[in-house]
Amino acid sequence: MGENPLPADGGRRLVGTRRLLVAGALGVLGTATVLAASVPAGAAAGTLGAAAAQSGRYYGAAIAAGHMNDSTYVATWDREFNAVTPENEMKWDATEPSRGSFRFTSADQIVSHAQSKGMKIRGHTLVWHNQLPSWVSGLSASDLRSAMVNHINNVMGHYKGKIYAWDVVNEAFADGGAVGTLRSSVFTQKLGNGFIEEAFRAARAADPNAKLCYNDYNIDNATAAKTQGVYNMVKDFKARGVPIDCVGLQSHLSSGSVPSNYQQNIAQFAALGVDVQITELDIGGSGSAQADAYRRVTQACTAVPRCTGITVWGVTDKYSWRSGDTPLLFDGNYNKKQAYTAVLGALNAATPNTSPSPTTSPNTSPSPNTSPSPRTSPSPTPPVGGACSATIETTNSWPGGFQSTVTVRAGSSAVNGWTVKWTWPSGQTISSLWSGTQSGSGSSVTVSNAPYNGSIAAGSSTTFGFTANGSAATPSATCTSP
Ligand code: G3I
């Protein structure tokens, strides 16, 4: 606790202690959202979600659809948490077990329950070397690229507008080795290290309002090579305009292993201009040692304005992926552990969050990183009148292919429906297109809006994207609006 103290405000700590006493008397008032709204100023909240909400944060749990027939499991989730991450149900093997055939039943079960309770939902995860269906490993490079973009488009498209933050790429960095070494996977082997950037660009186009996170374990210690590799990647992405909004520290820890620089690590990532979320927290141990470790992690987050929320990787020790380590806040019988009380106290003692990226109203504000990459082309000049303009930029390229983003911008009047046309200079062909509808084929390309992005407010813009075969080209495009 010594390394990440709360703001030195003895009076506030006393209030925090009193809050804990009040907490037991508050009782259950329904959903976390309702409870958060019901906590009078200065009073302690009695649940994790409501306590976190007081400083503008969320407190979530990983939930498995397979346990939702356990009524105590669901009741504890509903009472204590105001956010959720599906533990396995949104992974590639679950959502696209065979190519092009998507299955969302289990994930939908969690999502609709969470929505009915007003919870934030974290999407986990789009591109990960693990829990990949076997068909993915047999693809050629260009096929894998289209399959990855198609997977992102379909999964994000299915949940568009419902997800607060997506773990776009999960665990891409290697353990050990030089700073910046990626784990060898089907993605690095066939697409090269640029697959991370490609995934983020596709993700932004697929759901511009979801926060896009890079998520990993063993990046909790600021001085570790793996942490520094991720740090450098985020810094580079921000510098080049590659869309990224958050870093997820999984934080699978044990009581003795919370790094002394954990808070500094969070602050360093935040200083790059991204949110930080603790995404899969569990801390092996028991009693006061476990409670102290949980307290330190909680205080480290609440001390950094852009640390916007914490998710524990499960509700009860009995269903934990590492249940032998008893790493969660509720024991196997759903009793609150010492660690629970420590977390609740730390959340109640947090000062209100002044983060420039508030997390209290999900999915309503656009992410900050919507500007196109400065690398290849300037922003389009807004046209006069109600017309639209379109600019193509190359966002990635490789031998024999490339990826582009097309920005469609409305002039001084709103646009309702748009069509963009261009002619390829040397026979390029589109292999995969998203957030638009292509008609015809050959060297003259026509793309109209998708059903959801035809309306553009005056002066605003939307994007669509594609991958193509051939050498990268940025022909000029025309845009018309009916
Ligand atoms: O559902 C099947 C069941 O039908 C079958 O009988 C049983 C036999 O082994 O397997 C069950 O599936 C298991 C699944 O969890 C559901 O319990 C899988 O084998 C098992 O591999 C899977 O483990 C998950 C693991 O990711 C896979 O890598 C854990 O639940 C899940 O907690 C864990 O979560 C990961 C995060 O996604 C990423 N970060 C690390 C974290 C912990 O490993």
Side-chain angles (χ1 to χ4, degrees):
M1 165 171 185
E3 280 146 298
N4 299 304
L6 291 168
D9 177 348
R12 189 163 180 85
R13 283 177 202 223
L14 281 177
V15 171
T17 309
R18 183 176 55 74
R19 283 173 170 173
L20 275 182
L21 297 175
V22 176
L26 272 178
V28 177
L29 298 179
T31 69
T33 308
V34 172
L35 206 157
S38 311
V39 177
T47 67
L48 302 169
Q54 291 179 130
S55 67
R57 296 182 171 83
Y58 65 85
Y59 206 94
I63 289 290
H67 300 316
M68 285 176 68
N69 54 1
D70 174 342
S71 58
T72 316
Y73 178 79
V74 175
T76 309
W77 171 26
D78 289 352
R79 186 188 71 230
E80 294 289 342
F81 299 95
N82 59 1
V84 65
T85 304
E87 186 172 354
N88 288 299
E89 294 75 0
M90 287 184 173
K91 292 171 181 174
W92 199 321
D93 63 349
T95 51
E96 195 184 2
S98 53
R99 189 169 186 181
S101 162
F102 290 87
R103 200 174 57 182
F104 297 109
T105 321
S106 300
D108 282 352
Q109 206 186 331
I110 298 173
V111 167
S112 40
H113 185 93
Q115 284 192 303
S116 75
K117 304 292 180 187
M119 296 178 183
K120 272 190 163 59
I121 302 163
R122 296 195 80 264
H124 175 79
T125 176
L126 296 164
V127 180
W128 187 27
H129 65 278
N130 218 338
Q131 286 177 280
L132 263 185
S134 53
W135 62 266
V136 175
S137 54
L139 300 177
S140 68
S142 64
D143 245 7
L144 177 61
R145 179 169 281 110
S146 321
M148 180 179 81
V149 171
N150 190 51
H151 182 75
I152 290 170
N153 287 337
N154 276 276
V155 178
M156 289 186 79
H158 181 79
Y159 291 111
K160 194 173 164 116
K162 298 181 179 175
I163 303 295
Y164 164 68
W166 270 105
D167 292 331
V168 177
V169 176
N170 194 44
E171 301 176 7
F173 279 72
D175 292 298
V179 171
T181 311
L182 294 193
R183 168 195 305 281
S184 175
S185 70
V186 64
F187 299 109
T188 55
Q189 286 157 19
K190 299 212 170 131
L191 305 182
N193 293 358
F195 85 90
I196 304 179
E197 173 173 348
E198 290 181 50
F200 274 88
R201 290 190 184 279
R204 176 66 91 227
D207 184 354
N209 287 330
K211 287 181 183 288
L212 307 182
C213 301
Y214 176 78
N215 190 51
D216 214 329
Y217 65 90
N218 281 352
I219 56 167
D220 309 300
N221 187 325
T223 60
K226 188 171 176 181
T227 310
Q228 289 174 0
V230 175
Y231 179 91
N232 291 344
M233 178 190 75
V234 175
K235 192 173 178 190
D236 170 60
F237 277 17
K238 295 298 284 185
R240 292 193 292 110
V242 179
I244 185 166
D245 306 310
C246 36
V247 171
L249 307 184
Q250 293 186 6
S251 298
H252 294 295
L253 300 166
S254 55
S255 296
S257 76
V258 182
S260 57
N261 58 23
Y262 188 76
Q263 179 179 319
Q264 178 201 337
N265 188 41
I266 294 174
Q268 280 180 192
F269 275 117
L272 293 175
V274 289
D275 290 349
V276 178
Q277 298 164 9
I278 298 172
T279 52
E280 303 183 14
L281 180 63
D282 51 12
I283 306 180
S286 61
S288 60
Q290 185 181 45
D292 285 347
Y294 262 106
R295 183 184 298 109
R296 280 192 48 213
V297 167
T298 312
Q299 290 174 344
C301 178
T302 60
V304 180
R306 285 200 82 154
C307 184
T308 58
I310 299 174
T311 303
V312 281
W313 204 240
V315 174
T316 158
D317 285 340
K318 86 170 151 176
Y319 298 142
S320 165
W321 71 295
R322 50 187 292 216
S323 73
D325 296 337
T326 60
L328 294 171
L329 300 176
F330 293 86
D331 71 16
N333 295 315
Y334 297 99
N335 297 310
K336 295 170 182 173
K337 294 163 62 175
Q338 236 177 295
Y340 171 94
T341 310
V343 170
L344 185 65
L347 292 173
N348 270 318
T351 47
N353 199 351
T354 52
S355 164
S357 162
T359 60
T360 43
S361 45
N363 303 327
T364 47
S365 57
S367 298
N369 299 319
T370 47
S371 57
S373 163
R375 279 193 303 168
T376 48
S377 64
S379 297
T381 311
V384 179
C388 52
S389 66
T391 304
I392 304 175
E393 64 166 333
T394 306
T395 50
N396 202 359
S397 63
W398 51 91
F402 63 102
Q403 180 177 334
S404 297
T405 296
V406 184
T407 302
V408 184
R409 188 175 292 274
S412 55
S413 306
V415 153
N416 233 325
W418 46 261
T419 298
V420 173
K421 294 185 180 181
W422 69 89
T423 302
W424 289 121
S426 48
Q428 290 85 349
T429 50
I430 289 180
S431 49
S432 165
L433 182 128
W434 53 93
S435 302
T437 311
Q438 187 178 1
S439 51
S441 57
S443 63
S444 292
V445 181
T446 302
V447 177
S448 299
N449 57 276
Y452 52 82
N453 65 358
S455 300
I456 312 174
S460 295
S461 63
T462 190
T463 60
F464 68 91
F466 59 81
T467 53
N469 302 311
S471 50
T474 52
S476 56
T478 61
C479 181
T480 52
S481 163

